[in-house]
Amino acid sequence: MISHLTDLTEMAKRREKKTIVVAAAHDKDVLRAVTDAYRQGISDAVLVGDAGKITKILTQLGCDPGDYTVIHSTTDTECARRAVREVREGRAHFLMKGMLGTADLMREVVDRDTGIRGDGLISHVMFFEQENYPKLLCLTDGGMITFPTLEQKVGILKNAARTMKRLGYDRIQAACVCGAESVNPKITATTDAAKLSEMKEEWESCNMNVFGPVGLDMAISKNSCAHKKYEAEGAGEADILLVPTYEVGNGIGKAMLYFGNAKNAGIIVGAKAPIILVSRSDAAESKLASIALASIAAE
Amino acid sequence: MISHLTDLTEMAKRREKKTIVVAAAHDKDVLRAVTDAYRQGISDAVLVGDAGKITKILTQLGCDPGDYTVIHSTTDTECARRAVREVREGRAHFLMKGMLGTADLMREVVDRDTGIRGDGLISHVMFFEQENYPKLLCLTDGGMITFPTLEQKVGILKNAARTMKRLGYDRIQAACVCGAESVNPKITATTDAAKLSEMKEEWESCNMNVFGPVGLDMAISKNSCAHKKYEAEGAGEADILLVPTYEVGNGIGKAMLYFGNAKNAGIIVGAKAPIILVSRSDAAESKLASIALASIAAE
């Protein structure tokens, strides 16, 4: 059980040092996070982008540019392609988006010839640290797959389980979060949740238990479960919240951040290497924790 | 601007005293809330249900059964029908669900011959008091209309605006909460939000401004708006959150309650009288605030 984002950072420090490659690294916020991870012994870095700018920013940040591998690259596409190649050819363990569009980066990631596609689905996992919850909560998929089919939900859950296994989790509890506990044939989220809960064999290999449909309360509050007399393995103590649409994930995630003062760290999983997409507005702690998470998940 | 649920209670006390009618009132939790409202001078009560049980519970609660009108009624359907008739014939100003199913009550509410349908849509408004937000937030529709069409969203917004007007609001800010700010033709929530934002004339009569699509952050955080350079009238200071589906509403609402320690009060609006559906797990303060809200909205 992991309670805090700093636990991820500490865990990453204790593991073998990895190498991150950043696509379009010529940005102060991005380099601050990457050099922070370097200083903490989490990862070395290959910085793809405008070499002049990168060197200048590194110096401004009080870093020695000699500690990093800088690969000069001008266009966004070139930056993305080269960064992906570093992973593909084994010189970097995971990838981070710098100053370029997510679509530009992902296009190179999924390229059938030169990309780093995996066998399965590519999805997003976001971990939240919450004052009111004793352990990290993994919310998925909050953005990569907007309206997943049942089959995609299976892939999303497997990706999340794989990530948690890397984090050292043994038994994993996953809740299919819907608007209620009852199965309504007209509401796909609830029928999918019922089907997912029944796929016991499917989850055996992940050592995961999937339950639902449940409202968020039955997923995370044992008190509420007792009150409503809702019983299911894992009820009230979910590790993973599977949301039916990205809109639900976005809403719950932002409510946690803005109303619950949560902290978060997220990565894209399912490709041959984890991918980090931090946004400018993320706190420094979140950015570092995302790098730590990717570093652990890259094993 | 209203900040706390207790403001609703105080406001209701200052207004003319109303009469609540409870369908299937033979329940301790329900009667505790109703007698609480009576004692605070918010509402008199007509109690429809098992008269013997009702009288007994009232006595147990230290109340004088003589203070209330008790109408003996045995089956759920009979309780619902009779309670609705009290409203229809002007002996009660608003309706509360006691120990019967929501569907049983609503069937009688919407009955074309004997019910209390209004001209428009029936929808749910839930008000949240949040430590991290300076005023009450009205979330709609979190349950009545599960997957609203554009037309239904118009009705939902109008119902919410009408309720806020009764609460004394002048200018109202309504955010169409989606997963992001960009309009994506493949994502109905975003195209609907764009259309709703453009219906300026439609909202004039409500003195309401509607903006979106926005993520929850752009609806409720001025800091985040400044950070993302998102500008729109009302951005970051929403009074109303219009959600695209009940699943989104349920998720955001429960995240506020469980992670943000929010308090809530809600009613169903759009019928000829407000309807209160409190649940057993609601805090006493929530139940009383819901009655107060209905009492104000009944004017």
Side-chain angles (χ1 to χ4, degrees):
Chain A
M1 191 175 102
I2 301 174
S3 314
H4 299 93
L5 293 191
T6 49
D7 297 341
L8 296 178
T9 316
E10 292 308 314
M11 191 183 285
K13 282 187 207 171
R14 288 193 305 268
R15 309 255 178 124
E16 204 190 328
K17 202 177 182 186
K18 303 286 183 352
T19 300
I20 186 173
V21 58
V22 185
H26 38 270
D27 174 74
K28 202 165 188 171
D29 281 339
V30 170
L31 287 176
R32 198 177 275 125
V34 171
T35 54
D36 210 10
Y38 173 78
R39 264 195 296 256
Q40 302 220 22
I42 294 170
S43 62
D44 287 326
V46 177
L47 307 170
V48 182
D50 184 322
K53 276 194 196 168
I54 290 171
T55 311
K56 196 174 154 194
I57 298 169
L58 286 174
T59 311
Q60 281 171 355
L61 292 172
C63 303
D64 178 357
D67 291 339
Y68 303 89
T69 305
V70 178
I71 298 175
H72 184 65
S73 212
T74 50
T75 67
D76 288 356
T77 305
E78 211 181 293
C79 288
R81 192 164 298 162
R82 185 57 201 264
V84 167
R85 202 174 109 197
E86 290 300 300
V87 174
R88 191 180 166 93
E89 297 180 356
R91 288 182 296 276
H93 302 92
F94 56 103
L95 181 62
M96 181 171 174
K97 181 182 89 113
M99 280 297 281
L100 82 176
T102 302
D104 288 331
L105 181 62
M106 293 309 291
R107 200 180 308 117
E108 298 302 323
V109 166
V110 302
D111 188 287
R112 294 203 181 269
D113 297 321
T114 59
I116 48 170
R117 262 177 191 274
D119 301 327
L121 193 82
I122 293 183
S123 62
H124 190 256
V125 290
M126 181 72 94
F127 288 82
F128 290 88
E129 174 187 329
Q130 260 299 154
E131 268 171 39
N132 282 0
Y133 201 63
K135 52 185 176 179
L136 291 191
L137 255 174
C138 171
L139 181 81
T140 188
D141 180 333
M144 208 65 203
I145 302 171
T146 50
F147 299 97
T149 61
L150 178 62
E151 197 190 339
Q152 287 174 319
K153 286 175 186 171
V154 172
I156 289 171
L157 278 172
K158 284 188 174 173
N159 277 351
R162 209 168 290 131
T163 308
M164 302 202 82
K165 197 161 188 171
R166 300 259 164 83
L167 292 174
Y169 277 73
D170 183 20
R171 185 79 174 155
I172 305 160
Q173 300 297 348
C176 302
V177 175
C178 298
E181 284 73 48
S182 48
V183 177
N184 181 337
K186 289 181 190 160
I187 299 178
T188 311
T190 68
T191 53
D192 277 4
K195 285 175 198 157
L196 290 166
S197 306
E198 284 158 16
M199 295 179 184
K200 302 285 179 203
E201 280 181 35
E202 193 88 38
W203 312 126
E204 264 322 301
S205 59
C206 319
N207 210 357
M208 177 160 66
N209 169 59
V210 178
F211 65 98
V214 287
L216 179 60
D217 44 348
M218 298 301 115
I220 52 95
S221 165
K222 286 197 154 193
N223 273 345
S224 295
C225 290
H227 203 97
K228 271 204 194 176
K229 298 189 170 59
Y230 181 83
E231 285 174 13
E233 187 194 337
E237 47 179 356
D239 298 301
I240 296 172
L241 302 177
L242 175 79
V243 289
T245 69
Y246 89 108
E247 288 161 348
V248 177
N250 197 281
I252 292 177
K254 285 184 173 155
M256 286 202 267
L257 291 174
Y258 284 84
F259 296 125
N261 301 316
K263 297 171 183 177
N264 65 342
I267 53 173
I268 291 174
V269 292
K272 281 179 182 144
I275 302 161
I276 307 164
L277 311 177
V278 297
S279 84
R280 196 163 285 265
S281 58
D282 288 340
E285 188 185 351
S286 280
K287 287 174 184 156
L288 184 65
S290 294
I291 294 175
L293 177 60
S295 157
I296 301 163
E299 281 168 10
Chain B
M1 192 175 103
I2 300 173
S3 313
H4 299 91
L5 293 190
T6 49
D7 297 339
L8 296 177
T9 317
E10 291 308 314
M11 190 183 286
K13 281 188 207 171
R14 287 192 306 266
R15 308 256 178 123
E16 204 189 329
K17 203 178 183 186
K18 304 286 183 354
T19 301
I20 187 173
V21 59
V22 185
H26 38 271
D27 174 74
K28 202 165 188 173
D29 281 336
V30 169
L31 286 175
R32 198 177 275 125
V34 171
T35 54
D36 210 10
Y38 173 77
R39 265 195 295 256
Q40 302 218 22
I42 293 171
S43 63
D44 287 326
V46 177
L47 308 170
V48 181
D50 184 322
K53 275 195 198 167
I54 291 172
T55 311
K56 195 175 154 196
I57 298 168
L58 286 174
T59 311
Q60 281 171 354
L61 291 172
C63 302
D64 177 357
D67 290 339
Y68 303 89
T69 305
V70 178
I71 300 175
H72 183 66
S73 212
T74 50
T75 67
D76 288 355
T77 305
E78 210 181 293
C79 287
R81 191 164 300 163
R82 184 55 201 263
V84 167
R85 202 173 109 197
E86 291 300 298
V87 173
R88 189 178 167 93
E89 297 179 356
R91 287 183 297 277
H93 301 93
F94 55 102
L95 181 62
M96 182 172 174
K97 181 181 90 110
M99 280 298 281
L100 81 176
T102 302
D104 288 330
L105 181 62
M106 293 309 292
R107 199 180 308 115
E108 297 302 323
V109 166
V110 301
D111 187 287
R112 293 204 181 267
D113 297 322
T114 59
I116 49 169
R117 262 177 191 275
D119 301 326
L121 192 83
I122 294 182
S123 62
H124 191 256
V125 290
M126 182 72 95
F127 288 81
F128 291 88
E129 173 187 331
Q130 261 299 154
E131 268 171 41
N132 282 1
Y133 201 62
K135 52 186 176 179
L136 292 191
L137 256 174
C138 170
L139 181 81
T140 188
D141 180 333
M144 209 65 205
I145 302 171
T146 50
F147 299 97
T149 61
L150 177 63
E151 198 189 339
Q152 288 175 318
K153 287 175 186 170
V154 172
I156 289 171
L157 277 171
K158 285 187 172 173
N159 276 351
R162 209 168 290 130
T163 308
M164 303 204 81
K165 196 161 187 170
R166 300 259 165 82
L167 292 174
Y169 277 73
D170 184 20
R171 185 78 174 156
I172 305 159
Q173 301 297 347
C176 302
V177 175
C178 298
E181 284 73 48
S182 48
V183 177
N184 180 337
K186 288 181 192 160
I187 300 178
T188 311
T190 67
T191 53
D192 278 3
K195 285 174 197 157
L196 291 165
S197 305
E198 282 158 17
M199 295 179 185
K200 302 286 179 202
E201 280 180 34
E202 193 87 39
W203 313 125
E204 264 322 300
S205 58
C206 319
N207 210 357
M208 177 159 64
N209 170 58
V210 178
F211 65 98
V214 286
L216 179 60
D217 45 349
M218 298 300 115
I220 51 96
S221 166
K222 286 198 152 193
N223 272 346
S224 296
C225 290
H227 204 96
K228 270 205 195 174
K229 298 191 171 58
Y230 181 82
E231 284 175 12
E233 189 195 335
E237 48 177 357
D239 298 300
I240 296 172
L241 303 177
L242 175 79
V243 289
T245 69
Y246 89 108
E247 287 160 349
V248 176
N250 197 281
I252 293 177
K254 284 181 173 155
M256 287 201 267
L257 291 175
Y258 285 83
F259 295 125
N261 301 318
K263 298 170 183 175
N264 65 342
I267 53 172
I268 290 174
V269 293
K272 281 181 181 141
I275 302 162
I276 306 163
L277 312 177
V278 297
S279 84
R280 197 162 285 265
S281 57
D282 288 339
E285 188 185 351
S286 279
K287 287 174 184 157
L288 184 66
S290 293
I291 295 175
L293 177 61
S295 157
I296 301 163
E299 280 169 10

